[in-house]
Amino acid sequence: MADTLLSNVTTSVSADTLISNVTTDVLAELPLKTIDANLILYVLFIIIFAYVLNRLLGFILTHISERMGRYRTTITMLIPLLKLVVYVVALYYILIAVIEPSLTLLLAFSGLFGAAIGFGLKDLFADIIAGIIIIFEKPYQIGDMVSIGEKYGEVKNIGIRSTRLQTPGDEQVSAPNGTIFTQSVTSGNAGDLAMMIIIDLYVHPDSDAEKAMKILKEALVTSKYVIISKKYTHTVLLDDFPFYKRVRAKGYVNDLRFEFEFKSEVSRRALAEFRKVGIRPPSFVPPEVDTGHSGNRRRA
């Protein structure tokens, strides 16, 4: 074990030394332009311009998307793509402003780039690559309700390095984009504005289950938040357990942002009707379980 550890440390030190030497050699041969105040101001201008432009594009597209109804998620997905384009163009202009790139130089930088990924910045580059994959393959999109690891919420922004979620408790959570490589990521609506919601109610095993199902179905189909069509179907199911019966309704909320209002309204109305007709709650209340939020899921 000690020999292995010593070998790993020796290998790591040797690699770092090699990279340092190569970096020094490459930098020494860089055809750098004269660094003066004008060049520094020019680079700062590009960075600030790219940042302000991205903020402005994000603000305008977010504002427009909120007025576009069911096209909201489509428009918001343009935001991370445009940000990526702006930053790539800005990086290009900075490089040609500072150095005069040649084929030899590009090959040298490619080697350094690969070495940097392997020995020091692999997590950062993994997040950036994951961000590009998210933008083009769309395992989730801005506006989706997703579960990333143990966090659940609405995707508010997809950045180059991380994804920002707004949880039902109004918390802002930043999840590294590289999470899609190591953990399951679930999208509740996969780019659609509608999302399947599962509502579970529990009744006493001696209760009239058929009547309970009819009441829950009536509460579901008459909700102001539900959407029902050939594409967005609904159903009510019954499961019989030793100490209780579970009546489960599945239906689509017309806007995923009304997820909890929809569940609350249907549950409240159905439970009130249960009391009127004498349907009792179970003596044993099962612990809260993950019923999921959607039947329209994708995994990445």
Side-chain angles (χ1 to χ4, degrees):
M1 178 65 76
D3 293 341
T4 302
L5 178 61
L6 180 60
S7 176
N8 291 339
V9 171
T10 303
T11 302
S12 177
V13 171
S14 299
D16 291 343
T17 303
L18 177 61
I19 292 174
S20 176
N21 292 337
V22 172
T23 302
T24 302
D25 294 341
V26 172
L27 290 178
E29 297 180 2
L30 276 178
L32 291 173
K33 295 182 179 178
T34 303
I35 307 297
D36 54 21
N38 288 334
L39 181 59
I40 295 174
L41 289 175
Y42 178 73
V43 171
L44 288 176
F45 170 77
I46 292 177
I47 295 173
I48 295 173
F49 179 78
Y51 175 78
V52 172
L53 181 59
N54 273 337
R55 298 280 295 184
L56 187 62
L57 287 173
F59 174 79
I60 293 174
L61 289 178
T62 300
H63 187 70
I64 293 175
S65 67
E66 293 295 332
R67 298 172 176 269
M68 297 302 290
R70 64 193 186 93
Y71 297 107
R72 185 178 71 214
T73 55
T74 303
I75 294 175
T76 51
M77 271 311 294
L78 294 174
I79 297 174
L81 183 61
L82 290 176
K83 284 184 177 180
L84 177 64
V85 172
V86 170
Y87 281 131
V88 169
V89 172
L91 179 61
Y92 169 76
Y93 276 102
I94 291 174
L95 285 177
I96 63 174
V98 176
I99 61 177
E100 295 177 354
S102 63
L103 179 59
T104 303
L105 187 62
L106 289 176
L107 291 175
F109 266 117
S110 298
L112 281 178
F113 185 75
I117 293 176
F119 291 98
L121 303 175
K122 60 180 182 180
D123 291 339
L124 174 62
F125 284 108
D127 289 336
I128 294 174
I129 295 300
I132 296 173
I133 292 174
I134 292 170
I135 290 172
F136 287 101
E137 292 196 357
K138 301 178 181 178
Y140 56 80
Q141 308 175 38
I142 294 178
D144 280 6
M145 296 297 289
V146 302
S147 295
I148 301 179
E150 297 180 352
K151 296 297 182 181
Y152 175 75
E154 180 180 351
V155 178
K156 303 300 289 186
N157 182 52
I158 300 174
I160 297 300
R161 196 193 65 79
S162 64
T163 295
R164 191 171 74 246
L165 302 181
Q166 183 173 3
T167 70
D170 204 28
E171 296 175 316
Q172 297 286 332
V173 177
S174 292
N177 290 331
T179 304
I180 65 171
F181 297 136
T182 59
Q183 299 185 42
S184 63
V185 179
T186 304
S187 174
N189 56 307
D192 200 343
L193 202 59
M195 182 172 70
M196 174 177 278
I197 303 297
I198 299 176
I199 302 171
D200 287 337
L201 297 181
Y202 300 91
V203 299
H204 194 278
D206 295 334
S207 298
D208 187 341
E210 291 289 335
K211 185 176 292 185
M213 293 174 67
K214 289 181 180 178
I215 292 173
L216 182 55
K217 183 177 180 180
E218 182 67 19
L220 180 78
V221 300
T222 57
S223 171
K224 62 181 178 181
Y225 301 110
V226 74
I227 178 172
I228 297 176
S229 65
K230 290 184 178 179
K231 180 180 179 181
Y232 303 110
T233 59
H234 66 282
T235 185
V236 178
L237 305 170
L238 175 68
D239 283 309
D240 194 0
F241 295 95
F243 303 104
Y244 59 87
K245 291 180 180 177
R246 183 183 68 194
V247 187
R248 167 171 288 184
K250 294 183 178 181
Y252 285 86
V253 64
N254 52 27
D255 188 327
L256 54 87
R257 290 182 175 174
F258 297 127
E259 171 189 356
F260 298 103
E261 288 85 348
F262 179 52
K263 294 179 70 172
S264 176
E265 184 213 18
V266 174
S267 298
R268 175 180 56 78
R269 294 170 57 204
L271 290 173
E273 194 64 23
F274 284 180
R275 286 192 291 271
K276 288 182 182 178
V277 300
I279 296 177
R280 297 178 293 154
S283 302
F284 169 76
V285 179
E288 191 72 23
V289 295
D290 180 16
T291 59
H293 298 274
S294 168
N296 187 22
R297 295 183 165 194
R298 284 195 298 201
R299 286 186 180 274

